[in-house]
Amino acid sequence: QVQLVESGGGSVQAGGSLRLSCAASGYTYTYGRSCMGWFRHTPGKEREGVAVFNIDASTSYADSVKGRFTISKDNAKSTLYLQMNSLKPEDTAMYYCAVDLCAVKSTVREVMYYDHRGQGTQVTVSS
């Protein structure tokens, strides 16, 4: 059974940084055929795909975070990361890690619809 556990959220002031982690387990047999990513959700707003890490190690980002966020993956630790710099109040949301089988590449938007996701970690940015 796939398990994704996020950590690293918290409260920071605008301009600050956070690094989110997502520890994955239970799907090693499909690991090399899966895309992983992050999406976020704030109550009252639509979910937003944030970043995706593709099978070929390419990455894509939402325009709203491009240049500020970096997604990376440590295969040895089966862990996905999201380094978030220059945080803004509008980045405040619950952040979810997600994984699914995919073709070589996935889009950022598709991350929201992946079959497996974690419980989320809250990020709050104050002005």
Side-chain angles (χ1 to χ4, degrees):
Q1 183 173 347
V2 177
Q3 278 197 317
L4 301 171
V5 180
E6 301 97 335
S7 61
S11 298
V12 295
Q13 290 191 327
S17 298
L18 284 172
R19 188 175 84 152
L20 306 184
S21 298
C22 172
S25 62
Y27 76 109
T28 54
Y29 71 99
T30 60
Y31 195 77
R33 295 183 284 139
S34 299
C35 292
M36 295 186 75
W38 296 89
F39 70 93
R40 63 189 180 185
H41 184 229
T42 300
K45 296 184 179 180
E46 291 189 359
R47 289 180 298 172
E48 179 186 19
V50 174
V52 63
F53 194 100
N54 292 306
I55 292 176
D56 65 357
S58 63
T59 57
S60 295
Y61 299 91
D63 288 343
S64 58
V65 306
K66 205 170 291 183
R68 300 187 297 121
F69 290 11
T70 302
I71 189 171
S72 62
K73 185 177 166 187
D74 185 331
N75 289 328
K77 296 181 179 180
S78 298
T79 301
L80 185 74
Y81 301 99
L82 185 68
Q83 178 66 45
M84 306 186 294
N85 299 328
S86 302
L87 282 161
K88 304 175 181 180
E90 51 264 43
D91 294 318
T92 295
M94 185 72 81
Y95 284 71
Y96 298 88
C97 169
V99 62
D100 205 348
L101 292 170
C102 67
V104 175
K105 290 188 177 183
S106 176
T107 67
V108 175
R109 181 173 176 78
E110 288 173 338
V111 175
M112 296 188 291
Y113 304 107
Y114 283 0
D115 279 349
H116 307 287
R117 65 188 62 173
Q119 293 299 308
T121 185
Q122 178 68 38
V123 171
T124 302
V125 185
S126 58
S127 58

PDB file of all heavy atoms in Angstrom, residues 87-103:
ATOM      1  N   LEU A  87       9.129  33.235   0.115  1.00  0.00           N
ATOM      2  CA  LEU A  87       7.714  32.919   0.309  1.00  0.00           C
ATOM      3  C   LEU A  87       6.870  34.177   0.413  1.00  0.00           C
ATOM      4  O   LEU A  87       7.317  35.213   0.932  1.00  0.00           O
ATOM      5  CB  LEU A  87       7.543  32.062   1.561  1.00  0.00           C
ATOM      6  CG  LEU A  87       7.914  30.584   1.358  1.00  0.00           C
ATOM      7  CD1 LEU A  87       8.162  29.904   2.689  1.00  0.00           C
ATOM      8  CD2 LEU A  87       6.821  29.873   0.572  1.00  0.00           C
ATOM      9  N   LYS A  88       5.651  34.064  -0.102  1.00  0.00           N
ATOM     10  CA  LYS A  88       4.697  35.166  -0.104  1.00  0.00           C
ATOM     11  C   LYS A  88       3.438  34.750   0.662  1.00  0.00           C
ATOM     12  O   LYS A  88       3.146  33.554   0.759  1.00  0.00           O
ATOM     13  CB  LYS A  88       4.306  35.511  -1.543  1.00  0.00           C
ATOM     14  CG  LYS A  88       5.472  35.847  -2.456  1.00  0.00           C
ATOM     15  CD  LYS A  88       4.988  36.057  -3.879  1.00  0.00           C
ATOM     16  CE  LYS A  88       6.139  36.378  -4.816  1.00  0.00           C
ATOM     17  NZ  LYS A  88       5.675  36.587  -6.219  1.00  0.00           N
ATOM     18  N   PRO A  89       2.691  35.710   1.168  1.00  0.00           N
ATOM     19  CA  PRO A  89       1.440  35.348   1.870  1.00  0.00           C
ATOM     20  C   PRO A  89       0.506  34.496   1.005  1.00  0.00           C
ATOM     21  O   PRO A  89      -0.180  33.617   1.536  1.00  0.00           O
ATOM     22  CB  PRO A  89       0.822  36.708   2.183  1.00  0.00           C
ATOM     23  CG  PRO A  89       2.004  37.605   2.340  1.00  0.00           C
ATOM     24  CD  PRO A  89       2.985  37.134   1.298  1.00  0.00           C
ATOM     25  N   GLU A  90       0.509  34.706  -0.286  1.00  0.00           N
ATOM     26  CA  GLU A  90      -0.368  33.918  -1.158  1.00  0.00           C
ATOM     27  C   GLU A  90       0.096  32.481  -1.331  1.00  0.00           C
ATOM     28  O   GLU A  90      -0.607  31.669  -1.939  1.00  0.00           O
ATOM     29  CB  GLU A  90      -0.502  34.579  -2.534  1.00  0.00           C
ATOM     30  CG  GLU A  90       0.805  34.947  -3.203  1.00  0.00           C
ATOM     31  CD  GLU A  90       1.181  36.407  -2.972  1.00  0.00           C
ATOM     32  OE1 GLU A  90       1.028  36.900  -1.823  1.00  0.00           O
ATOM     33  OE2 GLU A  90       1.636  37.066  -3.931  1.00  0.00           O
ATOM     34  N   ASP A  91       1.261  32.144  -0.778  1.00  0.00           N
ATOM     35  CA  ASP A  91       1.712  30.741  -0.781  1.00  0.00           C
ATOM     36  C   ASP A  91       1.099  29.963   0.373  1.00  0.00           C
ATOM     37  O   ASP A  91       1.272  28.743   0.464  1.00  0.00           O
ATOM     38  CB  ASP A  91       3.231  30.657  -0.674  1.00  0.00           C
ATOM     39  CG  ASP A  91       3.939  31.217  -1.889  1.00  0.00           C
ATOM     40  OD1 ASP A  91       3.480  30.953  -3.020  1.00  0.00           O
ATOM     41  OD2 ASP A  91       4.970  31.913  -1.711  1.00  0.00           O
ATOM     42  N   THR A  92       0.405  30.652   1.272  1.00  0.00           N
ATOM     43  CA  THR A  92      -0.237  29.987   2.402  1.00  0.00           C
ATOM     44  C   THR A  92      -1.239  28.957   1.910  1.00  0.00           C
ATOM     45  O   THR A  92      -2.130  29.272   1.120  1.00  0.00           O
ATOM     46  CB  THR A  92      -0.942  31.019   3.294  1.00  0.00           C
ATOM     47  OG1 THR A  92       0.036  31.887   3.869  1.00  0.00           O
ATOM     48  CG2 THR A  92      -1.736  30.337   4.394  1.00  0.00           C
ATOM     49  N   ALA A  93      -1.083  27.709   2.360  1.00  0.00           N
ATOM     50  CA  ALA A  93      -1.946  26.612   1.905  1.00  0.00           C
ATOM     51  C   ALA A  93      -1.547  25.330   2.615  1.00  0.00           C
ATOM     52  O   ALA A  93      -0.494  25.268   3.266  1.00  0.00           O
ATOM     53  CB  ALA A  93      -1.824  26.414   0.394  1.00  0.00           C
ATOM     54  N   MET A  94      -2.373  24.327   2.440  1.00  0.00           N
ATOM     55  CA  MET A  94      -1.982  22.972   2.811  1.00  0.00           C
ATOM     56  C   MET A  94      -1.279  22.394   1.582  1.00  0.00           C
ATOM     57  O   MET A  94      -1.831  22.431   0.474  1.00  0.00           O
ATOM     58  CB  MET A  94      -3.207  22.135   3.163  1.00  0.00           C
ATOM     59  CG  MET A  94      -2.870  20.740   3.678  1.00  0.00           C
ATOM     60  SD  MET A  94      -2.171  20.764   5.331  1.00  0.00           S
ATOM     61  CE  MET A  94      -3.688  20.906   6.292  1.00  0.00           C
ATOM     62  N   TYR A  95      -0.096  21.854   1.793  1.00  0.00           N
ATOM     63  CA  TYR A  95       0.683  21.294   0.706  1.00  0.00           C
ATOM     64  C   TYR A  95       0.641  19.772   0.770  1.00  0.00           C
ATOM     65  O   TYR A  95       0.889  19.187   1.824  1.00  0.00           O
ATOM     66  CB  TYR A  95       2.124  21.782   0.769  1.00  0.00           C
ATOM     67  CG  TYR A  95       2.282  23.214   0.291  1.00  0.00           C
ATOM     68  CD1 TYR A  95       1.810  24.276   1.050  1.00  0.00           C
ATOM     69  CD2 TYR A  95       2.882  23.484  -0.934  1.00  0.00           C
ATOM     70  CE1 TYR A  95       1.925  25.580   0.599  1.00  0.00           C
ATOM     71  CE2 TYR A  95       3.006  24.791  -1.391  1.00  0.00           C
ATOM     72  CZ  TYR A  95       2.529  25.829  -0.616  1.00  0.00           C
ATOM     73  OH  TYR A  95       2.648  27.125  -1.067  1.00  0.00           O
ATOM     74  N   TYR A  96       0.339  19.171  -0.373  1.00  0.00           N
ATOM     75  CA  TYR A  96       0.215  17.730  -0.466  1.00  0.00           C
ATOM     76  C   TYR A  96       1.237  17.169  -1.441  1.00  0.00           C
ATOM     77  O   TYR A  96       1.473  17.734  -2.516  1.00  0.00           O
ATOM     78  CB  TYR A  96      -1.179  17.346  -0.955  1.00  0.00           C
ATOM     79  CG  TYR A  96      -2.302  17.760  -0.059  1.00  0.00           C
ATOM     80  CD1 TYR A  96      -2.891  19.018  -0.176  1.00  0.00           C
ATOM     81  CD2 TYR A  96      -2.784  16.901   0.930  1.00  0.00           C
ATOM     82  CE1 TYR A  96      -3.931  19.410   0.660  1.00  0.00           C
ATOM     83  CE2 TYR A  96      -3.826  17.279   1.757  1.00  0.00           C
ATOM     84  CZ  TYR A  96      -4.387  18.531   1.614  1.00  0.00           C
ATOM     85  OH  TYR A  96      -5.420  18.904   2.447  1.00  0.00           O
ATOM     86  N   CYS A  97       1.789  16.039  -1.065  1.00  0.00           N
ATOM     87  CA  CYS A  97       2.646  15.263  -1.945  1.00  0.00           C
ATOM     88  C   CYS A  97       1.772  14.219  -2.638  1.00  0.00           C
ATOM     89  O   CYS A  97       0.843  13.676  -2.031  1.00  0.00           O
ATOM     90  CB  CYS A  97       3.723  14.594  -1.094  1.00  0.00           C
ATOM     91  SG  CYS A  97       4.713  13.352  -1.914  1.00  0.00           S
ATOM     92  N   ALA A  98       2.066  13.921  -3.886  1.00  0.00           N
ATOM     93  CA  ALA A  98       1.259  12.959  -4.629  1.00  0.00           C
ATOM     94  C   ALA A  98       2.139  12.160  -5.577  1.00  0.00           C
ATOM     95  O   ALA A  98       3.178  12.652  -6.044  1.00  0.00           O
ATOM     96  CB  ALA A  98       0.158  13.672  -5.406  1.00  0.00           C
ATOM     97  N   VAL A  99       1.690  10.927  -5.887  1.00  0.00           N
ATOM     98  CA  VAL A  99       2.450  10.055  -6.784  1.00  0.00           C
ATOM     99  C   VAL A  99       1.479   9.210  -7.601  1.00  0.00           C
ATOM    100  O   VAL A  99       0.395   8.857  -7.145  1.00  0.00           O
ATOM    101  CB  VAL A  99       3.412   9.142  -5.990  1.00  0.00           C
ATOM    102  CG1 VAL A  99       2.645   8.218  -5.051  1.00  0.00           C
ATOM    103  CG2 VAL A  99       4.283   8.309  -6.923  1.00  0.00           C
ATOM    104  N   ASP A 100       1.895   8.903  -8.816  1.00  0.00           N
ATOM    105  CA  ASP A 100       1.078   8.052  -9.666  1.00  0.00           C
ATOM    106  C   ASP A 100       1.932   7.530 -10.813  1.00  0.00           C
ATOM    107  O   ASP A 100       2.968   8.134 -11.157  1.00  0.00           O
ATOM    108  CB  ASP A 100      -0.115   8.823 -10.231  1.00  0.00           C
ATOM    109  CG  ASP A 100      -1.270   7.922 -10.595  1.00  0.00           C
ATOM    110  OD1 ASP A 100      -1.086   6.683 -10.624  1.00  0.00           O
ATOM    111  OD2 ASP A 100      -2.370   8.451 -10.867  1.00  0.00           O
ATOM    112  N   LEU A 101       1.490   6.413 -11.372  1.00  0.00           N
ATOM    113  CA  LEU A 101       2.118   5.940 -12.599  1.00  0.00           C
ATOM    114  C   LEU A 101       1.917   6.995 -13.672  1.00  0.00           C
ATOM    115  O   LEU A 101       0.880   7.663 -13.714  1.00  0.00           O
ATOM    116  CB  LEU A 101       1.476   4.628 -13.043  1.00  0.00           C
ATOM    117  CG  LEU A 101       1.732   3.415 -12.150  1.00  0.00           C
ATOM    118  CD1 LEU A 101       0.850   2.256 -12.574  1.00  0.00           C
ATOM    119  CD2 LEU A 101       3.201   3.009 -12.201  1.00  0.00           C
ATOM    120  N   CYS A 102       2.898   7.159 -14.521  1.00  0.00           N
ATOM    121  CA  CYS A 102       2.730   8.159 -15.564  1.00  0.00           C
ATOM    122  C   CYS A 102       3.572   7.776 -16.774  1.00  0.00           C
ATOM    123  O   CYS A 102       4.402   6.879 -16.716  1.00  0.00           O
ATOM    124  CB  CYS A 102       3.120   9.536 -15.052  1.00  0.00           C
ATOM    125  SG  CYS A 102       4.867   9.727 -14.697  1.00  0.00           S
ATOM    126  N   ALA A 103       3.338   8.472 -17.868  1.00  0.00           N
ATOM    127  CA  ALA A 103       4.205   8.384 -19.018  1.00  0.00           C
ATOM    128  C   ALA A 103       5.511   9.092 -18.624  1.00  0.00           C
ATOM    129  O   ALA A 103       5.678   9.470 -17.487  1.00  0.00           O
ATOM    130  CB  ALA A 103       3.548   9.043 -20.219  1.00  0.00           C
TER     131      ALA A 103
END
